[in-house]
Amino acid sequence: MSGQGMVFDYAPFLVEAGKIKEFARALQLRNPIYFDAEAAKSAGYPGIPAPPTFTTVIDFWNDHNFYQLFSNFLKLNPNNVLHGEQAYDYHKVIMAGDIISAQVTVKDQFHKKGKNFFLLETVYRNQQHETMAVGRATIIEMTEVIA
């Protein structure tokens, strides 16, 4: 297996206030900063902030999305993939109106006990090229059929 150091670019993603509201509703968040610009400004934000795990929306609703990362880039069948671990380092708050570009790097790849492991790092940057967040994920490909 090779692939360590490979890089996948998500398409630039416009963070829309409506998508933030939809995501906040899905998470059952009740804080008005995610729904109302005036409430967000009263709380010290310049506009509507995205909840911390909003980067997941960028991954899955992107023109170059997480499934393309699996199937086209890593050549994996999404039906054989498990999400093993996820962690984030947050640098700045993503805001409605930001255009986020993200780049995934395969940091390590190895085989263990009939499974292929991929350690991925995704860096999310805004339109000023500022790092907003860094995500680290372990993706596991099941290579053996379990009866």
Side-chain angles (χ1 to χ4, degrees):
M1 262 189 339
S2 64
Q4 186 172 340
M6 292 177 21
V7 174
F8 177 85
D9 291 305
Y10 287 122
F13 186 90
L14 173 61
V15 177
E16 299 171 349
K19 191 55 89 177
I20 292 172
K21 292 175 188 179
E22 184 179 90
F23 186 68
R25 275 191 216 104
L27 296 178
Q28 299 182 349
L29 301 177
R30 303 205 190 294
N31 192 327
I33 65 170
Y34 301 123
F35 303 96
D36 179 62
E38 290 306 314
K41 288 178 183 173
S42 293
Y45 294 97
I48 295 177
T53 56
F54 187 81
T55 53
T56 304
V57 173
I58 296 167
D59 295 348
F60 285 93
W61 286 93
N62 199 290
D63 288 339
H64 299 156
N65 61 44
F66 205 60
Y67 294 108
Q68 292 171 358
L69 169 68
F70 284 164
S71 58
N72 299 345
F73 184 69
L74 296 174
K75 307 294 186 204
L76 306 176
N77 178 343
N79 294 324
N80 297 336
V81 174
L82 300 173
H83 189 227
E85 184 176 57
Q86 183 73 53
Y88 292 100
D89 291 326
Y90 297 102
H91 298 263
K92 293 187 171 213
V93 177
I94 294 174
M95 304 295 300
D98 278 343
I99 298 171
I100 303 297
S101 296
Q103 188 172 68
V104 182
T105 302
V106 178
K107 300 303 272 185
D108 197 8
Q109 187 176 354
F110 56 93
H111 184 84
K112 181 178 176 182
K113 295 185 180 180
K115 299 169 188 73
N116 293 322
F117 290 77
F118 299 84
L119 305 182
L120 308 177
E121 180 178 87
T122 307
V123 178
Y124 301 87
R125 291 186 175 88
N126 68 6
Q127 61 276 12
Q128 281 88 32
H129 306 288
E130 299 170 303
T131 299
M132 306 302 280
V134 177
R136 290 177 187 83
T138 301
I139 304 302
I140 305 164
E141 177 191 29
M142 306 299 289
T143 57
E144 295 179 355
V145 177
I146 299 172

